[in-house]
Amino acid sequence: MLPVTSSTIGNRKYMFCFVFLSPLLFVISRQNYLLGHVLMEGWAILVGFTIYVMATKTYGYSKDNTLFFLGNGYLAIALIDLLHTLAYKGMAIFPFPTTDLSAQLWIAARYLEAFVLFFTPFMVRKKFRSVELFLTFGILVSLIILGVMKFGIFPKCFIEGKGLTSFKVMSEYIIIAILAAALVMLRKQDEAIGANVRQALQWSIMLTILSEISFTLYTDVYGSANIVGHLLKAASFCVIFGGIISRGLDQPFEIIFRKLRTMSITDPLTLLYNRVGFNEFSEKIFSLARREQKTIGMIMIDLDNFKEINDTFGHLHGDEVLLRVGDMIRNNVRSSDVAARIGGDEFCVILPNAGEEGLATVGERIREDFHSWVTRSDYREILDIS
């Protein structure tokens, strides 16, 4: 069984709110089924549109192809669910509403949802062009609507006085089978899909399966089995919503803030730490070394006559020299070392747990790389390193 954690259902407050509201929705549906149905379906429709907006508007930051595919898919599902809601028995919106029409739209939407969830794991490494994906789902939705509402070629799903047709019941079981296969596909993509989205999808699929089972049992469109099925469907959308919120909004903002943080402590030219980063990390290293009674090595690097490079060749050439020196330093230190540009032509490297021999070795390697490069450059008569 999947562990119920914050990553399992994304943001748990959405699910808690729904669990709290479910008894109220059930009571409302028993007293006024159309109102309850509109509330439950309206929530799912709202989630579908919201997922689309989040997935498409945050794609530039998240680069999450799975989320992008889901967003377009759930928009298509929401559009058909909207028509299902408007066509429901008693709504009196369409000129010739029938129970069969709303049932047909329901089955069409559930088939679409099942296939979207089934193909989602295969979309991890796909590259999408937003217009093409939008048009693909748009054409698919148009064909479904025309087939059900215009040409009447969709099989009957409900017959007044008799209940569900064999096609409708069989379709529910086929949809359950597709959803079960989607669960298997998700497990095979365990590493590729983000934990929040993957686990949200798994819980959503399981709730949808329970929903479909409930929809094989009702004979009255206003009955309890129908209410329970809609509640489970709304719950599955709630789980998806929580997972998408985490992946679609929280993580892109984390990436943005992480980039801003990195920019604030990094020298933009050499990509070494700047003085702010150097002070911050060196303080931590010194504090740890004092506590654990360990040694610290430090290398100070200064480019002699660097000002002449700027005066003679220009600042672009001066930047090239600084960039080269930054690369040499980075290539000769460990990931645990702190390398920084602390002034115009001054660099410093702090090496935790480095003895005299190790310190001398790193310093000599940097010096050798510098002399090897500078002797082949136009600056060999000017530059030196100390």
Side-chain angles (χ1 to χ4, degrees), residues 282-355:
S282 62
E283 183 178 338
K284 292 179 181 179
I285 290 173
F286 285 132
S287 177
L288 181 64
R290 282 193 298 269
R291 187 165 60 249
E292 298 182 355
Q293 297 295 305
K294 293 184 177 180
T295 60
I296 294 175
M298 180 179 290
I299 299 174
M300 297 293 297
I301 300 170
D302 180 53
L303 296 178
D304 294 338
N305 307 320
F306 177 72
K307 185 176 181 301
E308 292 186 33
I309 297 293
N310 288 331
D311 294 341
T312 305
F313 297 97
H315 288 277
L316 288 178
H317 288 266
D319 288 348
E320 180 193 358
V321 172
L322 294 172
L323 185 61
R324 290 278 189 169
V325 173
D327 289 341
M328 294 170 199
I329 294 173
R330 191 182 304 105
N331 293 336
N332 286 292
V333 299
R334 303 165 298 183
S335 59
S336 58
D337 299 332
V338 176
R341 179 187 173 196
I342 57 175
D345 59 354
E346 296 174 341
F347 300 82
C348 184
V349 182
I350 297 178
L351 302 93
N353 305 322

Side-chain angles (χ1 to χ4, degrees), residues 82-141:
L82 176 60
L83 290 176
H84 157 76
T85 305
L86 297 177
Y88 210 77
K89 180 181 178 181
M91 289 294 287
I93 292 177
F94 290 123
F96 305 103
T98 65
T99 302
D100 184 44
L101 175 60
S102 63
Q104 288 174 316
L105 290 167
W106 171 269
I107 281 295
R110 302 290 71 78
Y111 266 121
L112 181 57
E113 182 182 1
F115 280 115
V116 166
L117 291 170
F118 177 81
F119 285 109
T120 292
F122 300 100
M123 302 297 151
V124 176
R125 296 180 178 85
K126 296 286 185 181
K127 296 296 182 183
F128 301 114
R129 299 181 69 175
S130 57
V131 175
E132 292 178 356
L133 190 62
F134 183 84
L135 286 176
T136 299
F137 276 108
I139 292 170
L140 187 57
V141 169

Side-chain angles (χ1 to χ4, degrees), residues 118 176-186:
F118 177 81
I176 290 171
I178 297 170
L179 291 169
L183 272 178
V184 175
M185 293 298 103
L186 277 172

Side-chain angles (χ1 to χ4, degrees), residues 15-29 40 227 231-232 234-235:
M15 196 60 188
F16 289 156
C17 287
F18 185 81
V19 170
F20 177 76
L21 292 173
S22 290
L24 179 61
L25 287 170
F26 185 85
V27 172
I28 291 174
S29 298
M40 291 182 288
I227 296 173
L231 282 171
L232 288 168

